[in-house]
Amino acid sequence: MAWPAEGVTLPRLARFCIRHRRLVVLAWVGLLVAVIGIGAAKPAVYANDIKIPGSQAQAAADILSKAMPAQSGDRSQIVFAVKTGQVTDPKVAARVEAMLGDVAKLPHVATVVSPYSKTGRGQISKDGRVAFAVLDFDQLGQKLPKAGIQKVIDTAKAAGGNGLQVELGGQAIALTERQPPAATEAIGLLAAIIILLLTFGSVVAMGLPVVTALFGLGVGISLLGLLSHLLDTADFAPQLAGMIGLGVGIDYSLFIVSRFRDAYANNGGDHHGAIVESMNTAGRSVLFAGMTVVIAILGMVLLGISFLYGVAIATSMVVLVTMLAALTLTPALLGFNVFGGRIGRGRVKRRGAEREGQMWARWADVVVRHRWICAIGGTAVLVALTIPAFGMRQMHNDAGNDGPDQTTRKAYDLLATGFGPGFNGPMQIVVTLPKDGKEKALAQVDSGLKAVPGIAQVTVMPISKDRSTGVLVAYPQSSPQSEQTTALVESLRKDVTPKLAQQTGTQILVGGFTPATVDLANVFSSKLPMFIIVVVLLSALLLMLVFRSILVPVKAAIMNLLSIGAALGVVTLVFQEGWGASLFGIEPGPIEPFLPVMMFAIIFGLSMDYEVFIVSRIREEWTISNDPRAAVRQGLAATGRVVTAAATIMVCVFGSFMFGGDKIIMMFGVGLATAVFLDAFLIRVILLPAIMDLAANATWWLPKWLDRLLPNVGIEGRSVETEKEVVTP
């Protein structure tokens, strides 16, 4: 047949995908096979390489890498303890010394400081039951081969037994101890299948969004692995990207399939015409929502923290690929009579959807009748859930939060028992020495640090070969993640070390892993407000362009901020305060510093999905009737079922990651599931209709002078009349 001339891009894309449906499907199959094959030949390489330009910890690390390369790698501990006797007993000492000698000969081991040496004389507990050796690798943990670290672990633990316990701690050891994530995606996928079956009442209609999402996710995750060779990408990026990609991939295809079924029922069974109409309406919403998610997540790059670059680009890439799959593979599959024809005819025969639409219309009437109660009550719930977020402590979780069976947790407990919790988070005090009196200056710094309240012990390490740099290891009295340790780091930098530097003619920097996490938390806290302002303003501008309204973007910005605040409040209650934490086998602790920024970007983008899908349908109805109340009623009746189904799928997908065992991913899972639940079931179906009814026609008010200045970017689309065509399978 001859398609009518049309200048709009998405109808053209829909027609291309229908005409060349076999080619489109084969292209996606070929692309998936190709990227999986390339990925198998070139496995992904992930690295948690955190650099904080301008921070003291980074400056200290840079000095060490030049002057003392052996001190610039990851520092770990080999901890050993005896139940009877003491670690200084000759037989025990001989076993330990032999083991430390073997470890010192292993690849990537720079230095080993024995507790029996002069330098390590402070590494034996007062009761003589616990001791530790300091192990320095020649590189940071994320750059070390896991096989090399595992060899160190195996060699050290081989000396255990017969009353001697040997455990290892440190960041490099923790990377090796981390277990592969459980396949929690399967739980979310199973839940999605059940929800889609209940929503559509058809296996074919259920299968199409799932197949489309899996194709997009498979290609996206495979490309992510290839990206890891070009850009440092955190090891939790595949899980995070997979979680979001699976959720949005199913949702985007679901929106298009649902609109296709409605169009098919309303246009008398014009199969291909219904596809074009669904792409010209729901497809536009998917395109806008997907690009908003991508832009919001990519906005993290503007923070200037290299650790986020790989995560942001990887996650946005997976979202982009799943969106493209929804916009190309979905119409292509619908073009086959075996899929699209059955789905469309099933909608015509099935009246449950009409009854459910009437139910949502009645719900809209209830909200409108009690609009003030709904608006005030809904806002109060969000504010109440947001309050705990103001008590959030941002800090990296130490090994005290690891599982009780992990060697890092056992080493942590032994050190805390024998020496105090602060020995699990030593600080590196890097001293640039004067030309004359180097030993005297270093001794003065040593004495000054030992007099500082909160420091349990200070160990002086050998001066660098060029005699320009000295290092002291300071052990706090408090644990690495405690508020007292954070306060100690800030006090050392602000008050103690500047005075010591002036007295000794040296330059003193406080570095090491624990101070670096303090720096990271400070950087994120300082940049978060500006990041929020930029993302909110850009999103508001986009919504203003699309909906020609002042109220819609303002309302969306406020509601989205409240949903993000509520999600962070729930994360704080669960992971920091311990509400229900025991159900998931996690230890309460501070919140990872990068979590609020990343959750804000992701949630703000995802919130636009439902905002755009519902509001675009309401505006579509309003342009027809010019009756704001009827538009809200009809818009909610048409979208309520699919939005709540899509949200339930996403909540299940995100919630399933609570069972993965990785605490960072669990935090994301709880936060994102909470945000989507509140966004769909509180904001979009209670607050949104209540506020839009209160505003009435003012919802769509835009000053005439501003309307003339802004380009016309509509997404509600319009029905595209097409001639009927004989459909070939």
Side-chain angles (χ1 to χ4, degrees):
M1 64 168 282
W3 296 102
E6 177 66 56
V8 184
T9 303
L10 283 175
R12 282 184 173 181
L13 177 63
R15 291 167 185 145
F16 176 86
C17 292
I18 294 169
R19 283 199 186 102
H20 307 285
R21 48 190 176 272
R22 291 178 179 82
L23 177 62
V24 172
V25 173
L26 287 174
W28 274 101
V29 172
L31 179 60
L32 179 61
V33 172
V35 293
I36 289 177
I38 296 172
K42 203 172 180 62
V45 179
Y46 299 110
N48 298 325
D49 191 7
I50 302 177
K51 293 182 179 179
I52 315 168
S55 68
Q56 268 208 41
Q58 188 63 53
D62 292 341
I63 290 174
L64 286 178
S65 65
K66 294 178 181 178
M68 306 174 72
Q71 300 283 341
S72 63
D74 259 350
R75 171 159 289 180
S76 298
Q77 301 87 29
I78 302 176
V79 187
F80 42 94
V82 291
K83 294 181 179 179
T84 59
Q86 294 187 327
V87 294
T88 53
D89 292 345
K91 289 184 178 180
V92 174
R95 287 169 61 187
V96 172
E97 287 280 43
M99 175 267 289
L100 295 178
D102 292 338
V103 169
K105 298 174 185 176
L106 294 175
H108 300 291
V109 175
T111 61
V112 176
V113 179
S114 168
Y116 305 111
S117 66
K118 182 179 178 181
T119 304
R121 59 181 176 270
Q123 295 167 204
I124 299 176
S125 65
K126 291 181 180 179
D127 63 4
R129 295 287 184 89
V130 183
F132 68 94
V134 176
L135 166 65
D136 285 321
F137 289 100
D138 60 3
Q139 298 179 57
L140 295 176
Q142 60 266 19
K143 295 182 178 180
L144 292 168
K146 286 193 175 182
I149 304 174
Q150 189 62 51
K151 183 65 175 175
V152 170
I153 296 173
D154 294 340
T155 303
K157 291 183 79 67
N162 296 323
L164 177 65
Q165 181 182 1
V166 180
E167 307 294 346
L168 294 91
Q171 292 304 306
I173 308 300
L175 290 174
T176 306
E177 281 280 288
R178 181 173 292 175
Q179 297 297 317
T184 54
E185 295 92 338
I187 301 173
L189 186 59
L190 178 61
I193 290 172
I194 295 171
I195 294 164
L196 287 170
L197 273 174
L198 294 174
T199 302
F200 288 132
S202 162
V203 174
V204 176
M206 171 277 294
L208 198 146
V210 172
V211 169
T212 302
L214 290 178
F215 265 95
L217 187 62
V219 172
I221 293 296
S222 298
L223 290 175
L224 189 157
L226 298 177
L227 175 71
S228 68
H229 292 276
L230 305 175
L231 190 67
D232 285 342
T233 306
D235 57 1
F236 63 84
Q239 274 187 286
L240 180 63
M243 179 199 315
I244 297 169
L246 182 61
V248 300
I250 294 176
D251 277 12
Y252 291 164
S253 185
L254 169 61
F255 291 156
I256 295 172
V257 172
S258 178
R259 191 61 188 262
F260 163 77
R261 295 172 84 231
D262 291 342
Y264 189 96
N266 295 332
N267 70 5
D270 182 356
H271 180 180
H272 289 181
I275 299 174
V276 175
E277 182 171 337
S278 67
M279 286 289 288
N280 196 37
T281 50
R284 288 170 177 260
S285 298
V286 166
L287 178 62
F288 179 82
M291 293 309 299
T292 303
V293 174
V294 169
I295 291 170
I297 295 175
L298 281 178
M300 291 189 290
V301 174
L302 300 177
L303 292 170
I305 301 172
S306 59
F307 171 70
L308 292 180
Y309 294 170
V311 178
I313 294 173
T315 305
S316 58
M317 180 179 65
V318 172
V319 171
L320 181 63
V321 173
T322 54
M323 181 193 73
L324 292 175
L327 293 175
T328 55
L329 189 56
T330 300
L333 291 174
L334 286 173
F336 291 96
N337 188 46
V338 68
F339 298 127
R342 288 187 180 183
I343 292 171
R345 289 190 294 273
R347 170 65 173 83
V348 173
K349 294 176 183 178
R350 188 168 176 260
R351 297 302 174 190
E354 284 84 350
R355 289 194 297 271
E356 198 160 350
Q358 293 169 4
M359 182 196 76
W360 280 105
R362 289 194 295 271
W363 172 254
D365 292 337
V366 171
V367 173
V368 166
R369 281 198 302 271
H370 306 285
R371 51 192 177 275
W372 280 109
I373 295 175
C374 290
I376 296 172
T379 303
V381 170
L382 292 173
V383 170
L385 289 174
T386 300
I387 291 173
F390 291 98
M392 178 187 293
R393 280 194 61 240
Q394 297 180 41
M395 190 68 178
H396 181 72
N397 283 258
D398 59 32
N401 295 284
D402 291 347
D405 296 329
Q406 292 182 259
T407 189
T408 49
R409 172 62 182 274
K410 293 176 181 178
Y412 180 97
D413 292 340
L414 287 175
L415 284 174
T417 301
F419 301 90
F423 277 70
N424 287 285
M427 296 181 286
Q428 287 181 313
I429 312 299
V430 180
V431 183
T432 302
L433 300 171
K435 292 183 179 180
D436 300 316
K438 299 178 186 295
E439 284 79 4
K440 181 181 178 181
L442 198 58
Q444 285 181 286
V445 174
D446 179 31
S447 300
L449 290 173
K450 287 178 178 176
V452 175
I455 291 183
Q457 182 176 304
V458 179
T459 300
V460 181
M461 305 301 289
I463 295 177
S464 63
K465 291 182 179 179
D466 63 2
R467 300 187 60 76
S468 66
T469 307
V471 175
L472 301 96
V473 180
Y475 297 95
Q477 293 176 348
S478 50
S479 68
Q481 67 183 29
S482 73
E483 293 181 76
Q484 291 89 340
T485 301
T486 301
L488 176 62
V489 171
E490 293 173 350
S491 174
L492 286 173
R493 289 173 168 174
K494 184 179 179 181
D495 302 319
V496 177
T497 56
K499 293 178 181 177
L500 285 175
Q502 188 175 13
Q503 293 169 4
T504 58
T506 60
Q507 179 190 6
I508 305 174
L509 298 173
V510 180
F513 183 78
T514 300
T517 59
V518 174
D519 290 338
L520 188 64
N522 290 337
V523 169
F524 277 117
S525 297
S526 64
K527 294 191 175 185
L528 181 59
M530 182 55 66
F531 179 65
I532 290 174
I533 291 171
V534 171
V535 172
V536 169
L537 287 179
L538 286 176
S539 301
L541 179 60
L542 284 172
L543 288 174
M544 186 186 299
L545 288 173
V546 167
F547 294 117
R548 322 302 292 180
S549 164
I550 296 292
L551 180 66
V552 168
V554 171
K555 181 262 313 167
I558 294 173
M559 293 298 101
N560 288 351
L561 287 174
L562 283 174
S563 70
I564 293 166
L568 290 173
V570 171
V571 169
T572 303
L573 289 175
V574 174
F575 291 93
Q576 181 175 302
E577 304 303 326
W579 289 26
S582 59
L583 297 175
F584 302 98
I586 54 178
E587 295 284 340
I591 306 303
E592 294 290 339
F594 55 81
L595 189 92
V597 169
M598 294 187 66
M599 275 189 55
F600 172 82
I602 295 167
I603 293 172
F604 203 91
L606 292 177
S607 297
M608 288 297 175
D609 286 3
Y610 306 132
E611 174 76 14
V612 168
F613 193 70
I614 295 177
V615 175
S616 62
R617 190 60 181 264
I618 292 174
R619 179 172 173 80
E620 186 179 337
E621 298 292 339
W622 179 76
T623 56
I624 296 172
S625 66
N626 203 33
D627 182 342
R629 179 164 294 181
V632 170
R633 187 179 191 274
Q634 291 302 114
L636 197 59
T639 59
R641 178 175 62 94
V642 68
V643 164
T644 51
T648 304
I649 289 170
M650 204 172 282
V651 168
C652 290
V653 170
F654 292 159
S656 68
F657 283 79
M658 276 295 293
F659 305 98
D662 187 304
K663 192 173 182 180
I664 293 175
I665 294 299
M666 292 169 78
M667 287 183 184
F668 276 113
V670 169
L672 296 178
T674 300
V676 171
F677 178 84
L678 292 173
D679 189 83
F681 292 96
L682 178 59
I683 292 176
R684 306 305 163 194
V685 300
I686 297 178
L687 279 172
L688 185 146
I691 293 172
M692 293 187 77
D693 185 76
L694 286 169
N697 278 320
T699 299
W700 311 111
W701 175 77
L702 186 71
K704 291 183 179 179
W705 63 269
L706 185 57
D707 189 33
R708 289 192 296 269
L709 289 176
L710 296 176
N712 192 5
V713 185
I715 67 165
E716 64 270 10
R718 57 186 176 83
S719 298
V720 180
E721 297 296 331
T722 59
E723 301 173 21
K724 291 186 179 180
E725 177 186 29
V726 178
V727 180
T728 55

